[in-house]
Amino acid sequence: MTVRRQFKSNWPLYAVWVTIFISTVAITCFYGSESSSFYGIAETREIVANFESAVEIKRIGVTEGQSVEAGVLMVELNSPELMLKINHISHQLDQLRAQKGVDKSEVLSRLRQLKAEKAARENEIENQISQLENQYRINQSLLSGLKSIPSGLGEESHATNSPMALKIKNLKKELSLSVHPLMIQIELLQKTLASLEDPVKIQVERLEEELSLLQEENSKLNIYAQISGIIGSVNFKPGEKVSPFSPILTLHTKTPSLIKGYIYENAYSGIAMGESVTVSSLALSDHSISGCVVGIGGRIVEYPVRLRKHPDMQVWGREVVIKIPGNNPFILGEKVLITSSVEGTGFADKMKRLFFPSESMADVNPTGQAMVETSTVRSVVPLETGEIEASAMLYLEDIDRYMLLSDDTPGNAPLVFLMNSDGIVTKETTISGLDAIKDMESVAQGEPGILYIASSLNTGNHGKINPLGNRLVAVQRQGERFSLLGMVDLYSLLKARAEQERGADWAEFVLGGMAERSLDLEGMFYKEGALFLGFKAPSLNAHSVIIKISDIDSAMGGQGLKAHQTSIWQRVNLTCADTPTTERISDLLYVEGILYITGTPLVKKGGSRSGSLWALDAQTGIAKRLVSFKALQPEGIAAGKEKQTLMLCFDQGRNEDSKLSVVKVNQ
C-alpha cells in the first residue's frame, strides 16, 4: 500500500520522465533520418572558354541556352597585341635576313676585288719576268756563239753580273712582296665571312621559333566546343575587349552529371566514400536514380541559402559530391533529396549512437611523430578521357594547376591532364613533338620551364621490351603548352654504361634488374643538375634504391653517360614494426630539403591495395612513416602553393576513378 501511495503521489514526476524519454527517442529518430537523408542541387561539369592573353571579340556564333555539338565554332577572337608581336618579329627577321645579305654581299664584293687585284698584279709581274727570261735566253745563245769568249766562262760571268738577270731576280721579289699583303687581306675577309654566318643564324633561328609559337597561339583564337552540350552564359559582345583568363562563355552538358549535397555537421559520419545513394526529385516523386559518393568535403562550410529551412538562420555542414549517370531525369539546378543506404539506421542503432557515440574511422590513419592533417579522399573528375590511371603529379604554380599523368592513355598518346585543387580536370593537352610514350610513371621539375618525364622501364607481363616504355623526355613548358626538347632511351643508356662499369654497385643493380626483367622506375626528382631515379624493383636487401645521374642534360644531349656519372644515392627501407610488409618506392618528392616518398607493397594479396607516405631523415637515412592508407594505393605526390601541403593521387585501376587526398605535414 505504501508503494502504491508513493507512486500515486509521484506520478507527475514519472510522467515527466516518460515524456522526456519519448521526446529523446523522437529527436534521435528525427536526427537519425536527418543523417541518412539530406538535400542537394543537381549540377553539371562546366567548361569555361577563355584566353590567356588580352583579346577582342570578333564574332560570337552561339547564344545562351543554345544546344551545340562537339567541334562547333563558338567564338572568333582577335588579338591586336598578338598580331603586333607577330608583325614585329617578322619585321626583325626580314631585317636580319636583309642585313645578313647586305653584309655578306659587301664582304664577297671586296673579296672578289682583292682576288682580281692579286691576279692582275701576278699576271703583270709574271709577264715582265717571262719577257726578260726570254731575252736572257737569247743573249745566252748569242754569247755561246762568240769564239773570242772562252766556253763556260762567258755564261757564268753573264749570269752573275748581267743587269737583266738582276732585274729578273728583283721582279720575283717584287711579286712576292706585292702579293703577300693581298693574300693576308683575302684570308681576313674569308674569316669574316665565316664568322658572319653564326650569330645571325642563331638570331634568325630563335626568332623563327618564337614566331612559330606565336602563330600557333594565333591559330587558337577560334574557340570550338569541346563537348556536346548547352551554352550556359555568354559574357561579352562582338567588339568588346577581354582581359586575360576572363570567362568569355560557359558550356555545360545537357543533363546534370553530379549532385552537390550538404550534410549536417553533427551527422557527417553517416556517409562514406564510394557509398551508393538514392537521388530523388522533390517535384516529381517518381523521378529517382542511384548515384555514388565520389567526394566528401574536408571542411565545414555554410549551407547555401536555397537549402536552408530558414533562410535567415545559418546552418553548417560538409559538402558531398555524388556522381550520377548521364541519362538522368533531372534538370540543371534542380533541388533533390539524397537518401543514404548506410547500415545502422534502425531504432536500436540510433539509440546506441545516442548513448554510445563514436567517430567513424577514416580510410586514412595518421601515424608517427610528425603532425599530420589528412583530408577526406575524393575522386578525380575527368574531362574527356575517362579512364585516368593516375601515376604522377606536379604542381604548376604559375597557372595554379596540378599536372597529372596517367600510366595508360589511348593509343599511348603523350597526354597531360591539368587539374585544379578540387580534383577536376580542366584541360587535356599533348606534348607537341612527341609521337607516343608508354607507361608514364614519374615527372620532375628541372630548371624553370623544363620538365622531365620518364617511363617505368618495365618489360611488362609478356617480358618484352617496348621502346615506347623506355623513354626519358625533356619537355619545355610555357603556360599550358608542352613541347618536346629532347628524348633518350633510358633503358639502353643505363645498360650501355652499366656494362662498361661492371662491378660498381649501381651497375650490378641495374644489370641484375634487367636480367630478371624486374626493373621498375616509379619516382623521380631533380636537384642541382642531377636527376634522381627511384626504383620500385628490384631491391637490395629489402631496400628500395635511388640512383643519381649527374649532369643529366649532357646525357639528354646525345652524349650518353660518362664514367662515374651514375651512382647509388640512397638505399631506403620502407618498413615499420607495426606492419611487417615492406613497401617499395612509388613516387618521390624533394621539397625544402625534405624527401617525401610514397610507398606500396610489391605484392598485393588478394588484390587489396594499401600504401604509405614517408619522410626520409637526411642525416640518418632512415625513412619515417607519416600516413598509412587502407584500400588505397598512392602513386603520385606533389607539393601545392604551401610547400607543406601535399597532394597525393591513388591509382585504383581501370574500373574505378583515381582518388586524391591532401596531407598537411608539420615536421
Side-chain angles (χ1 to χ4, degrees):
M1 294 292 293
T2 304
V3 174
R4 186 177 296 174
R5 287 177 187 157
Q6 186 176 4
F7 176 79
K8 287 182 178 180
S9 61
N10 293 333
W11 73 266
L13 179 62
Y14 295 146
V16 170
W17 279 108
V18 170
T19 303
I20 291 173
F21 179 77
I22 294 173
S23 300
T24 302
V25 171
I27 292 171
T28 301
C29 292
F30 173 77
Y31 281 107
S33 63
E34 184 77 10
S35 69
S36 59
S37 297
F38 51 98
Y39 295 104
I41 297 174
E43 297 184 357
T44 185
R45 178 165 61 92
E46 189 174 65
I47 295 175
V48 178
N50 56 26
F51 203 74
E52 59 189 26
S53 59
V55 292
E56 178 184 345
I57 304 294
K58 185 177 179 181
R59 189 180 77 88
I60 296 181
V62 293
T63 58
E64 292 185 0
Q66 178 181 341
S67 177
V68 296
E69 298 297 325
V72 170
L73 177 62
M74 299 188 295
V75 183
E76 291 182 36
L77 304 174
N78 180 35
S79 176
E81 181 183 353
L82 189 59
M83 291 304 300
L84 188 64
K85 288 181 180 178
I86 291 174
N87 292 334
H88 178 66
I89 291 176
S90 299
H91 181 63
Q92 282 184 300
L93 278 170
D94 292 339
Q95 280 185 324
L96 280 173
R97 288 165 180 157
Q99 178 186 345
K100 177 183 175 183
V102 169
D103 292 344
K104 187 176 180 180
S105 63
E106 288 179 355
V107 173
L108 286 172
S109 176
R110 179 60 179 159
L111 191 60
R112 285 193 293 267
Q113 181 182 350
L114 288 172
K115 287 181 178 180
E117 186 177 343
K118 174 177 171 288
R121 202 63 179 280
E122 286 176 340
N123 290 334
E124 180 184 353
I125 296 175
E126 285 175 353
N127 285 335
Q128 292 181 25
I129 292 172
S130 179
Q131 289 177 3
L132 288 172
E133 285 178 343
N134 288 333
Q135 188 63 41
Y136 177 75
R137 283 193 293 272
I138 293 170
N139 292 341
Q140 284 291 94
S141 64
L142 291 173
L143 286 173
S144 62
L146 294 175
K147 297 181 179 179
S148 59
I149 299 176
S151 178
L153 182 61
E155 294 179 4
E156 183 180 351
S157 175
H158 190 272
T160 306
N161 302 316
S162 171
M164 192 175 293
L166 292 174
K167 193 173 182 179
I168 291 171
K169 186 176 181 181
N170 290 334
L171 282 173
K172 287 182 178 179
K173 287 183 180 180
E174 183 183 350
L175 176 62
S176 176
L177 291 173
S178 60
V179 169
H180 184 67
L182 293 174
M183 290 180 64
I184 293 174
Q185 292 184 54
I186 289 171
E187 288 179 2
L188 288 174
L189 285 175
Q190 286 175 337
K191 290 180 180 178
T192 302
L193 187 64
S195 63
L196 197 65
E197 295 285 342
D198 293 338
V200 176
K201 183 180 179 182
I202 292 171
Q203 283 183 297
V204 168
E205 288 177 350
R206 180 180 60 80
L207 288 174
E208 284 177 344
E209 183 178 353
E210 188 175 350
L211 180 62
S212 176
L213 291 174
L214 290 174
Q215 288 173 340
E216 181 183 348
E217 187 175 350
N218 187 56
S219 66
K220 297 178 181 178
L221 289 173
N222 292 339
I223 300 178
Y224 297 88
Q226 298 181 22
I227 60 171
S228 298
I230 297 173
I231 302 298
S233 61
V234 179
N235 303 319
F236 294 92
K237 297 177 181 178
E240 290 185 326
K241 308 288 185 182
V242 182
S243 57
F245 296 105
S246 294
I248 298 172
L249 57 79
T250 59
L251 172 67
H252 55 75
T253 54
K254 296 179 181 179
T255 57
S257 57
L258 57 91
I259 305 292
K260 183 176 283 188
Y262 293 82
I263 190 165
Y264 187 58
E265 59 182 326
N266 291 339
Y268 68 85
S269 62
I271 197 165
M273 284 290 299
E275 181 182 330
S276 178
V277 297
T278 301
V279 182
S280 305
S281 172
L282 294 177
L284 300 170
S285 57
D286 59 338
H287 283 186
S288 63
I289 199 168
S290 294
C292 178
V293 177
V294 295
I296 302 177
R299 57 179 181 164
I300 302 296
V301 297
E302 188 177 355
Y303 267 47
V305 175
R306 187 180 173 195
L307 296 183
R308 300 177 192 171
K309 292 181 180 179
H310 304 284
D312 297 333
M313 183 182 296
Q314 287 185 323
V315 183
W316 301 82
R318 287 211 299 177
E319 290 180 330
V320 179
V321 179
I322 297 159
K323 188 175 182 180
I324 56 176
N327 56 342
N328 61 77
F330 307 117
I331 60 175
L332 295 175
E334 182 178 355
K335 184 177 178 180
V336 296
L337 178 67
I338 305 158
T339 304
S340 172
S341 60
V342 66
E343 295 181 0
T345 57
F347 177 79
D349 294 302
K350 293 170 186 173
M351 295 303 296
K352 182 179 179 181
R353 285 197 300 271
L354 174 66
F355 295 108
F356 303 99
S358 62
E359 292 187 9
S360 62
M361 296 299 293
D363 290 336
V364 183
N365 299 315
T367 61
Q369 297 179 352
M371 296 178 61
V372 177
E373 298 177 18
T374 307
S375 73
T376 306
V377 178
R378 58 182 181 272
S379 294
V380 174
V381 181
L383 183 60
E384 299 174 19
T385 304
E387 295 179 348
I388 298 177
E389 297 184 47
S391 58
M393 294 179 67
L394 181 67
Y395 180 66
L396 308 176
E397 188 169 0
D398 58 322
I399 60 174
D400 191 25
R401 287 292 183 270
Y402 287 90
M403 173 185 175
L404 184 68
L405 298 180
S406 174
D407 59 16
D408 189 17
T409 57
N412 295 320
L415 276 177
V416 174
F417 303 94
L418 297 179
M419 180 184 72
N420 63 21
S421 56
D422 294 325
I424 300 172
V425 176
T426 59
K427 184 173 183 178
E428 291 184 18
T429 185
T430 57
I431 301 171
S432 176
L434 181 59
D435 55 347
I437 186 169
K438 180 179 174 61
D439 206 12
M440 292 183 288
E441 282 291 347
S442 53
V443 60
Q445 173 72 61
E447 297 301 320
I450 307 298
L451 310 177
Y452 298 93
I453 299 174
S455 300
S456 67
L457 310 184
N458 199 308
T459 53
N461 298 329
H462 302 291
K464 294 182 179 179
I465 299 174
N466 189 333
L468 294 179
N470 294 336
R471 292 182 166 180
L472 171 64
V473 297
V475 177
Q476 173 80 55
R477 183 182 72 85
Q478 292 182 332
E480 295 182 349
R481 294 195 302 271
F482 300 81
S483 57
L484 181 67
L485 277 181
M487 177 175 63
V488 294
D489 186 326
L490 184 57
Y491 188 95
S492 300
L493 207 66
L494 290 171
K495 184 178 181 181
R497 175 45 58 182
E499 287 176 343
Q500 294 179 24
E501 296 188 19
R502 284 184 180 273
D505 52 1
W506 81 267
E508 295 303 316
F509 168 80
V510 169
L511 293 175
M514 290 178 176
E516 298 171 358
R517 299 190 180 276
S518 63
L519 206 62
D520 192 359
L521 172 61
E522 291 283 327
M524 188 167 63
F525 71 92
Y526 177 94
K527 180 186 175 186
E528 298 175 353
L531 200 62
F532 298 78
L533 311 177
F535 287 86
K536 187 172 186 177
S539 65
L540 285 180
N541 300 323
H543 286 65
S544 292
V545 173
I546 301 175
I547 284 182
K548 175 183 177 181
I549 302 179
S550 303
D551 191 14
I552 186 62
D553 290 335
S554 67
M556 294 295 297
Q559 302 178 23
L561 292 175
K562 301 174 183 176
H564 311 299
Q565 188 176 353
T566 310
S567 61
I568 289 183
W569 179 71
Q570 195 70 257
R571 298 173 175 85
V572 184
N573 186 4
L574 304 180
T575 307
C576 278
D578 58 340
T579 53
T581 304
T582 299
E583 295 181 354
R584 304 287 183 85
I585 292 173
S586 61
D587 201 10
L588 301 174
L589 171 66
Y590 186 85
V591 57
E592 295 188 338
I594 302 174
L595 179 61
Y596 294 102
I597 305 171
T598 56
T600 58
L602 188 61
V603 178
K604 298 181 287 295
K605 296 181 179 179
S608 62
R609 299 175 182 273
S610 63
S612 306
L613 171 64
W614 306 75
L616 185 68
D617 190 320
Q619 295 181 347
T620 63
I622 298 175
K624 177 176 63 177
R625 189 173 67 186
L626 305 179
V627 182
S628 63
F629 302 92
K630 295 180 179 179
L632 294 168
Q633 181 171 295
E635 284 287 329
I637 180 173
K641 281 185 180 179
E642 299 176 1
K643 301 306 180 186
Q644 292 178 333
T645 300
L646 310 178
M647 176 81 84
L648 279 74
C649 62
F650 307 90
D651 180 8
Q652 300 299 97
R654 295 179 62 87
N655 299 323
E656 188 176 346
D657 293 337
S658 294
K659 308 295 183 186
L660 299 169
S661 181
V662 175
V663 177
K664 294 184 178 180
V665 181
N666 299 312
Q667 292 285 353

